[in-house]
Amino acid sequence: MTTAILSALAQEQQGLAHALDQRQTITHAGRQFEVGALHGQPVVLALSGIGKVAAATTTAALIERFGAQRLVFTGVAGGMGADVHVGDVVVAKQFLQHDMDARPLFARWQVPGYATPAFDCDPSLTRDLLQAAQDCVATAGSWQEPMLAGLQLRAHCGLIASGDQFIVSAQTSHLICQDLQTAGYQPLAVEMEGAAIAQTCADYAVPFAAVRTISDRADDNAHVDFPAFVNAVASRYAQHIIAHWLQH
Ligand code: ADE
């Protein structure tokens, strides 16, 4: 079974790329795909770049051209839930597009043609990823990483909101959150690709799960916190979580 491991940015995945055995680089659709083996399992690594369209085309290429039979996303996100802090990990149970709005033709957040606004992740992959995320936050304290010093890291599982918008204001974040809460949705994190990957995987009936480490709080400091976290520790989380997940 070929597993696709997708991230938006190189910094989110570089440790995995270095660990790849029998590595072969293939250029396709303007992207580089790294085919090889991780912990003895066939994988293809890909970087989508940022945003929903880039994520959707990369996902389609992974399935159509590289035969991916299951897909896992690993990367960072902005924390939205009140108790979701920098360094925590959120495993997605569902995704929705917070910027989808075809009212009055369709209900808010509804992607026309689908049953509900939220796309479910594969329950079994999600359960295994959550276990790997829990193991990661339990050991991250021993990494001696200054950025994580003194933090009580936690792993969460729930809804992640995606949109073509980098959220850099607490006000915007609260508005998105409040809006979603009026409809019963409790977003834990926000990012820019997951819902598009979930929708594409639903189209192809390919199991999908996603893990996002919190790089910032999607607030007025996000533009500073995001690059600092991405450059310092994002790849380490990915390596730990994916290694644990592939080996269990
Ligand atoms: N990914 C990481 N942080 C984010 C933010 N603040 N907004 C959107 N996507 C993000």
Side-chain angles (χ1 to χ4, degrees):
M1 151 153 353
T2 299
T3 301
I5 302 172
L6 181 57
S7 300
L9 304 172
Q11 297 98 310
E12 293 171 314
Q13 202 184 72
Q14 59 206 10
L16 291 173
H18 285 132
L20 199 62
D21 296 321
Q22 302 135 40
R23 180 172 170 176
Q24 192 192 350
T25 304
I26 298 169
T27 302
H28 175 75
R31 286 167 173 72
Q32 283 193 355
F33 294 82
E34 307 287 345
V35 177
L38 265 183
H39 304 287
Q41 297 197 35
V43 301
V44 51
L45 303 183
L47 300 175
S48 61
I50 292 171
K52 290 184 293 170
V53 173
T57 60
T58 310
T59 301
L62 282 165
I63 296 167
E64 294 266 7
R65 165 73 174 78
F66 294 92
Q69 289 153 297
R70 58 182 187 170
L71 203 144
V72 167
F73 188 98
T74 173
V76 299
M80 266 196 161
D83 61 345
V84 179
H85 303 290
V86 169
D88 285 3
V89 178
V90 176
V91 174
K93 196 169 179 187
Q94 291 184 310
F95 281 99
L96 66 66
Q97 298 182 35
H98 67 76
D99 57 354
M100 170 56 79
D101 190 350
R103 290 175 298 175
L105 304 178
F106 296 91
R108 184 80 195 272
W109 306 296
Q110 179 67 45
V111 184
Y114 295 84
T116 59
F119 289 84
D120 291 333
C121 295
D122 181 76
S124 147
L125 286 184
T126 299
R127 189 193 54 228
D128 295 346
L129 262 192
L130 183 59
Q131 214 149 63
Q134 279 160 345
D135 182 79
C136 179
V137 294
T139 41
S142 67
W143 295 352
Q144 312 237 310
E145 169 51 54
M147 193 164 262
L148 304 177
L151 301 180
Q152 292 291 320
L153 303 177
R154 292 179 57 199
H156 312 257
C157 187
L159 175 71
I160 297 183
S162 309
D164 286 317
Q165 196 180 0
F166 187 73
I167 310 295
V168 275
S169 110
Q171 197 189 5
T172 309
S173 175
H174 286 147
L175 277 177
I176 293 171
C177 232
Q178 266 174 3
D179 246 11
L180 285 168
Q181 279 168 354
T182 60
Y185 294 111
Q186 307 283 345
L188 298 182
V190 64
E191 40 82 303
M192 303 178 69
E193 294 83 24
I197 303 167
Q199 183 178 333
T200 309
C201 284
D203 288 347
Y204 284 94
V206 168
F208 168 58
V211 55
R212 293 273 188 173
T213 307
I214 301 304
S215 56
D216 59 84
R217 281 283 308 162
D219 59 11
D220 302 45
N221 218 41
H223 63 295
V224 177
D225 296 340
F226 169 82
F229 191 95
V230 163
N231 292 323
V233 276
S235 168
R236 189 137 192 205
Y237 274 87
Q239 247 182 305
H240 187 108
I241 293 169
I242 297 298
H244 187 288
W245 174 68
L246 283 174
Q247 291 176 98
H248 285 82

